[in-house]
Amino acid sequence: MQKLQIIAIFNLFLQYKTANKMKKEERQKAILEYLSKEHRVTSIELSEYLSVSEDTIRRDLKELSDQGLLKAVRGGAVAPSPIPLHYRKREKHDIENKKIIAQKAISYLKDGQVVFIDGGTTSLALVASFPYDLKLTVITNSFPVATLAEDLPNIDLIFAGGKMCKTSFTTSSIETVDFFRSFRADVCILGICSIHHERGVTGILYDDSMLKKNMVQNSNFVIALSSIEKVETAESYFVCPIKDINVLVTNVSPEDEILKVYQNTGLIIL
């Protein structure tokens, strides 16, 4: 009899664990769906929305953050960048919107400028739109950018050496960072992974993010290129605050609702 009681209690325990596990899975799914619509959410909002304690929400956010499904921040969470990590996947992603961004940004480039161009695929779309007679000195760590720029007769190309990152097809090492410190660019073309009005510009890869930070610090004028899906997202590695950017170029109207908070900082939006 005692053995049957123990088995019954154990079965009840398993049912309790299963039910709670399913509740947690459903709750976390709801958190991700909520975040996909709002881009940023607080623990208080989620607590009220899901009728659970803030402590429960904080545990959920930590688990989801550890899985890379969101970025837990103080008081809540923000969405991660939806962009593929590998260059080969990114070059085929959202091609038409990259062309729109490139056409908007080209007006800021003038003959005689020294220009940093990083390894983003949107930056590559900008180089692909260069007028044949544009006269620039291009300094880049991107193999694809260098290949395009080399074909233009009036582009003086300076390539930053160092160890190649096979994920991004760029050089990204201590030697590369030191190389960029030797120059002061008129303009920095910054292809970004994520931008958030509080967390600033952030990146997925540590070395690449440190290199972007160095490019920004050694430029007189910074143009950030970002599709709207990257706006109000965040990643792990800090590049720069919003105040270090002069122009944000997107594929939508500057009057889009999600961009208002950036306009309020004085940032030029194209």
Side-chain angles (χ1 to χ4, degrees):
M1 187 69 177
Q2 187 178 13
K3 184 176 180 181
L4 291 175
Q5 287 177 332
I6 292 172
I7 292 173
I9 291 170
F10 181 71
N11 286 335
L12 285 173
F13 174 75
L14 288 179
Q15 290 173 14
Y16 172 81
K17 291 287 287 182
T18 301
N20 277 273
K21 181 181 179 182
M22 288 185 71
K23 286 180 182 178
K24 183 175 76 169
E25 289 173 349
E26 291 170 358
R27 190 172 63 242
Q28 291 185 354
K29 181 181 179 182
I31 289 172
L32 293 174
E33 289 174 350
Y34 190 99
L35 189 59
S36 70
K37 297 174 183 176
E38 301 298 327
H39 296 282
R40 189 187 193 285
V41 66
T42 67
S43 298
I44 295 173
E45 289 171 343
L46 288 174
S47 174
E48 294 174 352
Y49 177 63
L50 297 171
S51 300
V52 294
S53 70
E54 286 187 57
D55 285 340
T56 298
I57 293 298
R58 279 192 285 269
R59 287 193 293 271
D60 283 341
L61 294 181
K62 184 180 185 307
E63 287 186 22
L64 292 169
S65 183
D66 289 344
Q67 295 171 46
L69 299 174
L70 54 73
K71 293 296 174 182
V73 298
R74 186 173 182 178
V78 296
S81 174
I83 306 304
L85 178 59
H86 199 282
Y87 176 87
R88 286 302 185 200
K89 291 183 179 180
R90 283 187 286 120
E91 70 177 346
K92 299 173 184 176
H93 178 79
D94 209 19
I95 294 172
E96 291 306 312
N97 281 325
K98 289 174 185 175
K99 291 179 181 178
I100 292 171
I101 293 170
Q103 289 303 315
K104 288 184 178 183
I106 195 70
S107 63
Y108 277 92
L109 298 181
K110 310 296 181 185
D111 285 350
Q113 291 174 329
V114 174
V115 182
F116 287 160
I117 302 180
D118 79 349
T121 51
T122 310
S123 300
L124 184 66
L126 176 59
V127 177
S129 72
F130 279 3
Y132 191 71
D133 59 349
L134 184 62
K135 299 177 182 178
L136 298 175
T137 297
V138 169
I139 305 172
T140 186
N141 66 320
S142 166
F143 287 95
V145 166
T147 300
L148 277 184
E150 189 273 332
D151 284 335
L152 297 171
N154 296 314
I155 299 294
D156 288 332
L157 176 64
I158 302 176
F159 186 76
K163 183 179 179 180
M164 177 183 168
C165 174
K166 292 185 178 180
T167 302
S168 60
F169 290 177
T170 61
T171 53
S172 183
S173 61
I174 294 174
E175 293 84 1
T176 317
V177 172
D178 286 342
F179 180 87
F180 277 98
R181 290 195 182 112
S182 302
F183 303 91
R184 186 72 189 181
D186 298 303
V187 178
C188 173
I189 301 297
L190 195 69
I192 58 178
C193 300
S194 293
I195 185 168
H196 188 273
H197 72 280
E198 291 178 346
R199 291 173 66 83
V201 177
T202 52
I204 298 173
L205 301 174
Y206 174 78
D207 288 345
D208 185 60
S209 299
M210 294 305 100
L211 187 59
K212 288 177 186 289
K213 178 186 289 188
N214 190 268
M215 287 179 168
V216 170
Q217 291 173 346
N218 289 284
S219 301
N220 296 329
F221 195 85
V222 179
I223 302 172
L225 311 180
S226 175
S227 60
I228 199 65
E229 62 186 338
K230 302 176 187 177
V231 176
E232 287 300 274
T233 69
E235 291 297 340
S236 299
Y237 301 110
F238 181 70
V239 174
C240 69
I242 297 298
K243 67 179 180 64
D244 285 357
I245 297 172
N246 299 99
V247 178
L248 174 62
V249 187
T250 77
N251 55 298
V252 299
S253 166
E255 304 306 317
D256 192 281
E257 185 68 26
I258 199 172
L259 297 173
K260 286 185 177 179
V261 67
Y262 296 90
Q263 288 180 331
N264 293 339
T265 68
L267 183 63
I268 298 171
I269 310 288
L270 291 184

